[in-house]
Amino acid sequence: MAFNVRAAMQRKGKSQAAVGAVLNLSQQAVSRRLVGKVAWDIAELGTLAEFLGVSIASLIRERAA
């Protein structure tokens, strides 16, 4: 999931700070989620998907092996 979020952020040109501002999280808290140290919660994913203009499903789907 973290990979998908990072990829979507990169495609949309959004920084950790911008994501943090939308989610009311610090940049450090966003970073911990992006490296998988802290799990995203569903409410964060919904807000993030809307902010990035993508579906929640695209953020949570597993990558092909």
Side-chain angles (χ1 to χ4, degrees), residues 19-26:
V19 168
V22 167
L23 298 176
N24 198 29
L25 297 171
S26 68

Side-chain angles (χ1 to χ4, degrees), residues 15-55:
S15 67
Q16 291 180 16
V19 168
V22 167
L23 298 176
N24 198 29
L25 297 171
S26 68
Q27 180 273 323
Q28 293 84 359
V30 172
S31 178
R32 286 191 296 274
R33 285 161 174 77
L34 291 173
V35 298
K37 289 184 179 182
V38 174
W40 295 94
D41 73 34
I42 194 67
E44 291 170 344
L45 288 172
T47 301
L48 185 57
E50 186 175 327
F51 176 65
L52 296 174
V54 299
S55 68

Side-chain angles (χ1 to χ4, degrees), residues 1 3-4 58 60-65:
M1 184 177 340
F3 174 85
N4 296 335
S58 73
I60 62 173
R61 75 171 186 274
E62 291 188 31
R63 294 189 299 162

